Amino acid sequence: MSQPNTFDIVILGAGSGGYAAALRAAELGLTVALIDKAELGGTCLHRGCIPTKALLHAAELADQTRESEQFGVKADLVGIDMAGVNSYKDGVVGRLYKGLQGLLKQDKITIVQGAGKLVAQDTVEVDGQRYTGRNVILATGSYSRSLPGLEVDGKRVLTSEHALKLDRVPSSAIVLGGGVIGVEFASVWKSFGADVTILEALPRLVAAEDADISKQVERAFRKRKINFKVGKPFEKVEHTENGVRATIQGGETVEAEILLVAVGRGPTTQDLGYEQQGVRLDRGFVLTNERLHTGVGNIYAVGDIVPGLQLAHRGFAQGIFVAEEIAGLNPAVIDEAGIPRVTYSDPEVASVGLTEEKAKEKYGADKVTTYNYNLGGNGKSQILKTQGFVKLIRTVDGPVVGVHMVGARMGELVSEAQLIYNWEAFPEEVAQLVHAHPTQSEALGEAHLALAGKPLHAHS
């Protein structure tokens, strides 16, 4: 007989990684307790991916209205009703949240609301109540980082969580950080009519992406009149009469109504009992092997607390992987480079696999060849009036090891790109596939045709 609070799996954290593990484990017939102090769905659903993408869609509609005359449609943008935008955004989140609650209930997963702490290698305690698991999955997610000496007050100096709740469009904004979160918010606020400046310590925007992609994003942002200063670390922020003043290396200052801190996300692992139970941490991240086991008891870790890409779909994949691992299905190890990455700014960036720089490091500069297909040759891109390109990276006489795309709606093409990378396809094989016309997916097809030595609407 099992004890009332004993389960096959106890999961601490109900974000993307935690709830995916819970759903898959329940499908496999395992008993599950899912513990979280906040709402089911975690950062992604409530304070990250979903609400930010809703804002970005509203921003896209604002731009389309403003620019509609170039398509022969006469419309006036009267303004941005932030109460209406927030109502739309919250409605999307609410419907998805309700659906997730229904799914978990249907699968008879035990939901425990409260602050959990690992008190033994097989036990999580919540408000004095103990939940024992034959296996434990740590999935406590991440929080918005700040910088030493930079005080976030939620009024003038904000994190992305505060920014999502703004009841107005700021007249001007400084965005501290030119990574995914920073460029997405900069893109939204510019579309809504704010004056925006991005400050980035690294030499380029979206620095984790291929260098050619960064150049195109910077070119597009200049055209959109989004200001940015790169390669100069932030030094301090001061309150002014009407807002804030940020100082960067060299003494240069920028003033605005608000400052958004978008310098990345840190792992939520402090004071949760992990280290006391022998779980090893590195700068707060939980160390695991490639099978996501911590090396302690039957404790696994998934999602943002595991070093690597902090993406909801990585969390989903890891949660499913661990549930299957516990069930004895021996799932294939997740290839981190094979996880697609999307930045939903205008223009959108989507990529999978290695950058040109990483490919040359891995295989040698003389063993790597690249091809850039300009979207100017793509009919649907011309219809959408978007600019950008698809860049392919392959090893000489080998498979495609990187796909990098920039332009409108590129995130929708990344599914095919990740199949190409993950199935180690050769350009010659992809060149045989027929892409519907006119679609932007043809850009992927044409790039592979060119790399295979038989370009159609482009020169190799």
Side-chain angles (χ1 to χ4, degrees):
M1 283 283 292
S2 65
Q3 297 301 311
N5 282 350
T6 299
F7 300 84
D8 291 318
I9 307 177
V10 170
I11 303 170
L12 184 51
S16 306
Y19 84 69
L23 289 170
R24 183 66 182 123
E27 282 172 3
L28 293 168
L30 301 173
T31 57
V32 182
L34 184 61
I35 299 165
D36 203 305
K37 64 181 179 182
E39 320 96 324
L40 300 169
T43 295
C44 172
L45 176 54
H46 299 280
R47 299 172 295 283
C49 335
I50 299 299
T52 54
K53 279 29 159 199
L55 286 185
L56 282 152
H57 183 59
E60 182 185 11
L61 288 174
D63 286 330
Q64 286 176 346
T65 306
R66 201 180 278 119
E67 297 159 8
S68 65
E69 201 156 338
Q70 62 180 308
F71 300 97
V73 178
K74 293 192 174 180
D76 289 322
L77 181 65
V78 178
I80 305 297
D81 168 20
M82 274 313 292
V85 171
N86 285 330
S87 173
Y88 150 68
K89 163 180 67 71
D90 296 342
V92 172
V93 171
R95 287 188 295 277
L96 290 170
Y97 181 39
K98 194 174 178 183
L100 176 59
Q101 287 173 304
L103 271 176
L104 292 162
K105 188 178 179 184
Q106 183 184 306
D107 282 351
K108 297 183 172 54
I109 291 159
T110 300
I111 308 296
V112 182
Q113 181 147 30
K117 184 171 183 175
L118 192 67
V119 294
Q121 290 184 6
D122 62 353
T123 305
V124 175
E125 185 173 281
V126 184
D127 299 327
Q129 186 76 46
R130 294 194 165 205
Y131 299 86
T132 298
R134 295 177 187 87
N135 301 273
V136 172
I137 301 175
L138 308 178
T140 40
S142 59
Y143 64 92
S144 293
R145 281 192 193 277
S146 187
L147 294 175
L150 180 54
E151 190 182 330
V152 174
D153 60 14
K155 292 177 182 158
R156 295 192 190 187
V157 180
L158 319 177
T159 64
S160 57
E161 285 92 339
H162 301 123
L164 282 167
K165 292 177 181 169
L166 268 186
D167 59 0
R168 68 191 190 284
V169 177
S171 60
S172 55
I174 298 165
V175 176
L176 183 56
V180 175
I181 296 169
V183 300
E184 288 186 352
F185 271 101
S187 196
V188 166
W189 283 334
K190 183 62 183 178
S191 298
F192 284 173
D195 182 27
V196 183
T197 302
I198 303 171
L199 305 179
E200 172 54 65
L202 293 172
R204 52 192 175 91
L205 297 181
V206 286
E209 296 292 342
D210 190 88
D212 285 347
I213 295 286
S214 290
K215 282 178 198 162
Q216 180 67 23
V217 170
E218 289 176 0
R219 196 176 298 128
F221 274 23
R222 281 190 200 99
K223 195 173 176 184
R224 292 187 63 196
K225 296 185 168 52
I226 295 175
N227 307 306
F228 56 90
K229 299 177 187 297
V230 295
K232 290 183 179 177
F234 168 84
E235 288 189 345
K236 64 177 177 177
V237 64
E238 304 159 282
H239 284 212
T240 62
E241 194 178 333
N242 301 312
V244 290
R245 180 189 301 113
T247 305
I248 58 176
Q249 194 178 66
E252 191 176 352
T253 62
V254 182
E255 294 196 20
E257 183 186 331
I258 59 169
L259 181 141
L260 170 68
V261 183
V263 293
R265 297 186 63 83
T268 304
T269 54
Q270 201 172 351
D271 301 325
L272 294 176
Y274 294 177
E275 285 182 293
Q276 288 88 330
Q277 300 309 322
V279 174
R280 289 181 307 129
L281 303 183
D282 178 24
R283 293 170 295 118
F285 289 97
V286 176
L287 298 179
T288 70
N289 63 12
E290 64 176 5
R291 304 198 74 80
L292 301 172
H293 192 274
T294 62
V296 177
N298 288 329
I299 302 176
Y300 297 83
V302 299
D304 285 1
I305 59 172
V306 179
L309 297 165
Q310 291 178 314
L311 299 169
H313 46 283
R314 174 181 180 249
F316 294 146
Q318 290 182 335
I320 292 166
F321 173 91
V322 169
E324 293 182 351
E325 178 81 348
I326 288 167
L329 301 185
N330 194 29
V333 170
I334 298 164
D335 174 8
E336 290 273 320
I339 298 171
R341 311 173 289 274
V342 185
T343 303
Y344 296 86
S345 53
D346 176 18
E348 265 186 18
V349 173
S351 60
V352 65
L354 305 178
T355 63
E356 182 177 347
E357 185 184 6
K358 288 274 169 61
K360 285 177 174 175
E361 276 176 28
K362 183 171 180 177
Y363 299 107
D366 58 335
K367 295 286 191 292
V368 170
T369 180
T370 68
Y371 180 77
N372 282 29
Y373 174 79
N374 192 303
L375 293 183
N378 176 259
K380 189 62 181 282
S381 297
Q382 284 291 324
I383 290 165
L384 294 172
K385 287 188 176 286
T386 186
Q387 296 179 331
F389 59 84
V390 171
K391 177 176 180 175
L392 301 180
I393 298 157
R394 78 175 294 190
T395 55
V396 175
D397 300 326
V400 173
V401 296
V403 181
H404 306 272
M405 304 178 285
V406 59
R409 305 183 185 179
M410 289 293 112
E412 300 301 327
L413 301 189
V414 83
S415 297
E416 183 181 355
Q418 67 125 349
L419 290 178
I420 290 164
Y421 170 83
N422 283 294
W423 286 349
E424 299 180 350
F426 282 58
E428 294 77 10
E429 294 170 320
V430 182
Q432 295 174 37
L433 304 177
V434 180
H435 291 78
H437 176 75
T439 62
Q440 286 188 292
S441 70
E442 286 179 284
L444 263 175
E446 296 247 7
H448 284 85
L449 276 166
L451 205 49
K454 44 183 183 179
L456 185 59
H457 295 101
H459 296 293
S460 60

